[in-house]
Amino acid sequence: MRGLTWLAWRSLAARRLRSLLTVAGISLGVGVLFASLATNTAIERSIDRTVADLVGSADLRVAAFDDAGLSAESVSAIRGSLGVGVAAPAIERRTYLLAEADTTLGAVEPGPPSAPVTVLGIDPVVDSEIHDYGVIEGSPLLRRDEAAAVVSERLARDGYPLGAEIALQAAGDPERFRVVGIVAGEGPLLGAEGRMVILPIAAATRIFGLEGVTRVDVKVADGSSVGEVESELESKLTADPYVLSSPRDLAASLRASTADFQSTAALIAAVALFVGAFLIFNTLSMTVAERTREVGLLRAAGATRRQVMSFVLAGATALGVIGSVAGLVVGLLLAAAAAGYVRTVGSVRIEGLDASPRGFILAGLVGVAVTVAGALEPAWRAGRISPIEALSPRAETGRGSGARLRWLVVVFAAVGLVVLVAWSFGGADGGLPRAFAVYVALLVATLLSPLLLAPLGRIAGMPFAAVLRFEERLARGSLVRDPSRTALTVGALTIGLAMIVAIGGVASNARNAAAGWIQSVVPGDEVVTSIRPVALDEPVVADLRAVEGVARVTPVATFEAALHGSRIDAAAVVGADLLADGRLRFVAGDRDAALTAIDAGGAVIVPAGVADRLRVRVGDSLEFTVRGGTAHLRVVGIAERTLPGRAGEALLVGWRDATSSFGVAGADFFAVRFQPGTGGAARTRLEDVARQNALEPSSIERVEGAIADALGRVFGLFDALALVAVLVAALGIVNTLTMNVVERVREIGVLRAAGMTRRQVRRMVVVEAGILGLVGAVLGIATGLVVGALMLVLGGGRVDLPLEPPWAAIAACLVLGVGVSMAAAWYPARLAGRLSIVRAVQFE
């Protein structure tokens, strides 16, 4: 057995280029898997860090539902509840930092403020028992009455170091604070983008003119359970609407926002490994075919079938180990690039590469397991070689398409299983059934490729035949010499290209859906946002409406409502403005009557997705928990899409219900519609007025561009990972064409003796690769369109893909399929062109 193992190693070393290509293919597949696992680990740990930063050691969080916050009565009730050890109230709001010149007596008229900051107001005496904000310089807040502030490290770098003075825009005169501490990084708040200031809660209350607090974090006393405290709080808190949650609930919400990303990464990793298995199979099949006589001699010398199989599997294991080790290095580079490029997934910010030892072990084991799975069929075939047939002048290895199909199913199951296990150990299984369904679709397309190879090969050869007819006929003849090998090579290329088209289609659909969503629901050309609720009677609203060229200003407020014991997104709108602007498309109910009804009050418009989930129809009544009791709103219409909320589409209510029942204090943004023909002059005037009133204007196009940029980063990463599968397939093309050249050495010698030039021989091999690439591209495009539609359907999206194919991805697929294949033909073509006529004719 040791002798056969050493012989397997020598066999690999004797064919260094082929072994190197196979190792490269394995390393790329393992690299993608490791990068996906490492990114997943980084996401998981970022979630844990985010939750720890947000809630500290708190066991429960009581959050206010409306702008009024939790009253002093509710805070006292929380602190007095049985089992509550520590109750730390906090205020979280946004405002602006003012430059020194803006607050100095006699200063010139202040200009527009810079980017806003998020203020976190805390009670320094009790908050330290729950939260540790990680002060890296200076000290934390110590007293409730001090005019001190702690800022994030990023804000300190922006000009507010330790000891500096900051001035905050307030409800009255600006207030000043001295920076006494700096916390690490961007601070503990989601959405603050690193611009965070921590103040004593009394100061925050004065700045924002509040009476209530945003939330209260609760630490359960020793001897009490979280369940007991939850029940106690539910019975005590009756004055204000609230949401009671635990750190586990917050973590689950964050993980849900990353599930699609993780499942798609798992799918691409499985595809890359599956393509690598094609390469392994072709490599070992070539080795078995070339060493048929050697295997026959081993069998004649007494080697058993099991020993021969071990000989092949030992070579595969060696390739797998070397490729997996190299793949871990490749994966580290890919993971670091992915974390730096994407930065944020869902609501989670990826804070650098975080590769765990478990990821190294899992990726390495998966690489070896997939390699061995790819070697099973060639090993089984080698073990069945008869010594007599192997030593005959024309030995054959009994290749058959049925065996190839069986092998494909086995390897598919093996790769899918090991990736599923790896992802389960990694802690991310959300969305994997969807990824597995797409994976099955790719297998079906691969199994169908042998049936389509011959007719597509004739069609794909036509462009080449128009210029190189002689070479094209010889190339097509070579491709059908071993149809199963060619079909496997095309199949590997097909699924790699299919993923590029599918991801391109999903990305295009997502961008179009987002743009269409905004265009169909926002009644304006410009969106003017505020960091605080703007009451409808404030002068700023009149200032916006008075701008020359402005036709209409529509105030909109987004908030959360309590429906049947759970939170749901809602928005306050002016129905008359939506009616006049032509916004919203209804799937049930009369549009004119519904938009008029919400302004009158007691009515609600429900988005179609939410209506399906809640199983409500026009005429049903929805009961909301509000401050002081309940509110009943009648469903007057169901819209195809509505305004986006924090977690989904929002229910639409009129401003009368929003202010009286749900406690909405003011608008979060204004949709501004310009008069026709006013051009950019009205936009410029509006933006000047908005900035002077501490509002941030953004055109609809800019909003769409920001969304497209965020989507582009995520899908760009997926495209890059899918491209790795195409590169692995290209390595398989090199092996296939090289084997075709080796099998046709004598034939090429005869053609050369008959007058064929070296250049014609090289062109023949390149044309052969071009036909392979074109067939793979055509199959990849067709498969990718189907897979993209499947991904959309299973993801709950609308299938816009067949209506608007991803032309950019299709073009890239064609260029990659043909270009990469023809580039991969360089070495085999060079090898064929350098064959000596005499030696080629004498070759056996």
Side-chain angles (χ1 to χ4, degrees):
M1 183 65 71
R2 289 182 179 179
L4 287 181
T5 303
W6 176 247
L7 183 61
W9 177 256
R10 291 186 60 186
S11 174
L12 297 176
R15 293 159 181 80
R16 294 178 183 175
L17 178 61
R18 186 184 303 163
S19 298
L20 181 62
L21 292 175
T22 306
V23 167
I26 297 169
S27 65
L28 288 174
V30 171
V32 172
L33 175 63
F34 179 79
S36 301
L37 287 171
T39 304
N40 172 58
T41 301
I43 290 173
E44 290 295 316
R45 294 193 177 178
S46 294
I47 289 173
D48 293 339
R49 281 193 293 267
T50 299
V51 173
D53 289 342
L54 289 174
V55 301
S57 60
D59 300 301
L60 293 170
R61 168 168 286 185
V62 184
F65 230 119
D66 55 24
D67 293 333
L70 297 173
S71 62
E73 180 184 351
S74 293
V75 175
S76 298
I78 293 171
R79 285 175 170 159
S81 296
L82 186 65
V84 172
V86 180
I91 291 174
E92 184 178 332
R93 288 292 179 91
R94 302 178 77 197
T95 187
Y96 288 101
L97 285 175
L98 302 181
E100 179 65 24
D102 298 337
T103 59
T104 302
L105 185 63
V108 296
E109 183 70 19
S114 59
V117 296
T118 300
V119 172
L120 177 64
I122 63 171
D123 183 341
V125 176
V126 298
D127 197 82
S128 59
E129 299 184 48
I130 294 181
H131 299 102
D132 179 7
Y133 297 115
V135 175
I136 58 173
E137 190 175 352
S139 66
L141 299 179
L142 300 175
R143 302 195 317 271
R144 292 170 175 161
D145 59 348
E146 63 179 333
V150 173
V151 301
S152 62
E153 190 175 7
R154 176 178 169 181
L155 200 59
R157 290 197 302 266
D158 289 345
Y160 298 94
L162 196 67
E165 188 176 77
I166 61 174
L168 293 171
Q169 187 179 68
D173 294 331
E175 294 208 20
R176 297 187 182 193
F177 302 89
R178 185 171 59 87
V179 177
V180 299
I182 299 172
V183 301
E186 299 191 352
L189 301 178
L190 283 176
E193 298 180 354
R195 297 178 60 82
M196 185 205 71
V197 179
I198 303 177
L199 301 176
I201 195 168
T205 301
R206 287 195 312 273
I207 288 175
F208 298 108
L210 299 175
E211 295 183 0
V213 301
T214 304
R215 60 176 177 265
V216 178
D217 286 341
V218 175
K219 189 173 183 179
V220 174
D222 294 339
S224 299
S225 68
V226 174
E228 291 172 347
V229 175
E230 284 183 342
S231 300
E232 178 74 6
L233 291 174
E234 289 172 356
S235 64
K236 288 285 188 70
L237 294 177
T238 57
D240 308 308
Y242 67 92
V243 176
L244 184 61
S245 60
S246 66
R248 182 180 299 178
D249 298 329
L250 177 58
S253 175
L254 293 175
R255 287 189 172 90
S257 70
T258 66
D260 287 341
F261 178 92
Q262 294 179 9
S263 64
T264 304
L267 171 63
I268 296 175
V271 167
L273 287 169
F274 193 29
V275 174
F278 278 87
L279 178 62
I280 296 160
F281 172 79
N282 271 344
T283 297
L284 295 177
S285 292
M286 295 175 195
T287 301
V288 170
E290 290 176 344
R291 304 181 73 89
T292 298
R293 290 193 177 184
E294 182 180 326
V295 172
L297 288 173
L298 291 174
R299 293 280 284 118
T304 65
R305 290 184 175 182
R306 179 175 297 179
Q307 288 176 318
V308 172
M309 291 179 64
S310 300
F311 160 71
V312 177
L313 292 176
T317 303
L319 291 174
V321 171
I322 297 172
S324 296
V325 172
L328 296 178
V329 178
V330 172
L332 275 173
L333 299 176
L334 287 175
Y341 179 69
V342 177
R343 296 198 296 270
T344 301
V345 177
S347 304
V348 179
R349 183 176 182 85
I350 303 177
E351 299 178 359
L353 177 62
D354 200 345
S356 65
R358 182 169 58 181
F360 282 98
I361 296 171
L362 282 175
L365 291 178
V366 167
V368 175
V370 171
T371 303
V372 173
L376 289 176
E377 200 276 340
W380 176 83
R381 184 157 27 96
R384 294 179 63 85
I385 293 177
S386 168
I388 297 176
E389 293 179 359
L391 297 176
S392 64
R394 298 181 59 83
E396 293 290 341
T397 57
R399 293 166 294 196
S401 60
R404 304 303 192 275
L405 297 180
R406 290 193 298 270
W407 170 83
L408 276 177
V409 175
V410 170
V411 172
F412 162 81
V415 173
L417 180 63
V418 294
V419 172
L420 183 62
V421 170
W423 234 255
S424 298
F425 274 106
D429 55 359
L432 281 180
R434 180 168 62 235
F436 197 75
V438 173
Y439 191 39
V440 172
L442 292 172
L443 174 69
V444 172
T446 306
L447 294 177
L448 292 176
S449 62
L451 304 177
L452 303 173
L453 181 60
L456 286 179
R458 285 193 293 271
I459 297 173
M462 290 180 181
F464 299 97
V467 181
L468 304 169
R469 184 172 183 80
F470 177 63
E471 289 88 343
E472 185 269 340
R473 291 184 63 184
L474 291 175
R476 278 199 297 113
S478 174
L479 289 176
V480 298
R481 181 181 299 272
D482 190 340
S484 61
R485 182 197 303 154
T486 304
L488 287 173
T489 305
V490 170
L493 184 63
T494 295
I495 62 176
L497 294 173
M499 285 306 301
I500 291 179
V501 173
I503 291 170
V506 173
S508 176
N509 181 276
R511 294 188 187 99
N512 292 339
W517 186 358
I518 293 172
Q519 293 285 356
S520 66
V521 301
V522 177
D525 306 299
E526 187 98 356
V527 173
V528 180
T529 58
S530 172
I531 61 171
R532 63 177 182 84
V534 178
L536 301 190
D537 57 357
E538 288 190 34
V540 61
V541 181
D543 291 344
L544 294 175
R545 288 177 173 150
V547 173
E548 183 181 354
V550 170
R552 185 168 47 252
V553 176
T554 303
V556 179
T558 57
F559 58 96
E560 291 181 328
L563 176 65
H564 305 314
S566 61
R567 67 173 70 191
I568 191 168
D569 289 306
V573 297
V574 178
D577 288 353
L578 293 172
L579 182 61
D581 205 68
R583 300 300 94 180
L584 298 185
R585 183 165 59 183
F586 278 62
V587 297
D590 182 79
R591 178 176 177 275
D592 293 358
L595 291 173
T596 302
I598 62 171
D599 285 343
V604 61
I605 296 172
V606 182
V610 176
D612 291 340
R613 176 164 55 86
L614 299 179
R615 298 180 180 179
V616 299
R617 296 176 296 178
V618 174
D620 291 346
S621 179
L622 300 182
E623 181 179 315
F624 297 90
T625 301
V626 297
R627 185 178 296 272
T630 60
H632 293 82
L633 302 183
R634 184 172 59 88
V635 177
V636 293
I638 296 176
E640 184 178 66
R641 306 295 296 271
T642 64
L643 291 168
R646 291 181 175 86
E649 294 181 76
L651 306 178
L652 302 183
V653 300
W655 273 98
R656 176 177 296 183
D657 290 321
T659 54
S660 62
S661 298
F662 295 99
V664 174
D668 301 317
F669 68 91
F670 299 89
V672 180
R673 179 68 73 188
F674 298 114
Q675 294 174 357
T678 55
R683 187 184 301 274
T684 301
R685 289 190 291 268
L686 175 80
E687 291 180 351
D688 289 342
V689 171
R691 292 193 176 98
Q692 289 171 8
N693 286 276
L695 302 175
E696 182 61 34
S698 296
S699 66
I700 294 296
E701 292 77 13
R702 193 183 308 169
V703 174
E704 293 173 356
I707 294 173
D709 180 67
L711 291 173
R713 286 184 174 275
V714 173
F715 286 110
L717 173 63
F718 291 152
D719 281 334
L721 295 179
L723 182 60
V724 173
V726 177
L727 296 178
V728 177
L731 299 178
I733 291 173
V734 176
N735 268 350
T736 295
L737 295 180
T738 303
M739 189 61 184
N740 285 350
V741 170
V742 171
E743 289 181 341
R744 297 160 59 201
V745 167
R746 180 175 290 185
E747 177 186 325
I748 293 173
V750 172
L751 291 171
R752 291 274 287 114
M756 193 174 186
T757 65
R758 293 181 185 272
R759 181 173 294 180
Q760 286 178 313
V761 171
R762 289 195 294 268
R763 285 202 299 251
M764 176 188 67
V765 178
V766 172
V767 168
E768 186 178 337
I771 295 174
L772 268 177
L774 193 52
V775 171
V778 171
L779 289 175
I781 291 170
T783 304
L785 292 174
V786 173
V787 168
L790 182 61
M791 292 173 72
L792 286 171
V793 170
L794 295 178
R798 293 177 0 186
V799 187
D800 296 333
L801 186 62
L803 301 178
E804 187 175 347
W807 296 115
I810 289 174
C813 181
L814 284 170
V815 172
L816 282 172
V818 179
V820 169
S821 299
M822 295 180 76
W826 176 83
Y827 173 77
R830 182 170 176 267
L831 177 66
R834 295 179 63 182
L835 287 174
S836 166
I837 296 177
V838 176
R839 292 183 179 179
V841 173
Q842 294 176 345
F843 181 81
E844 291 188 9

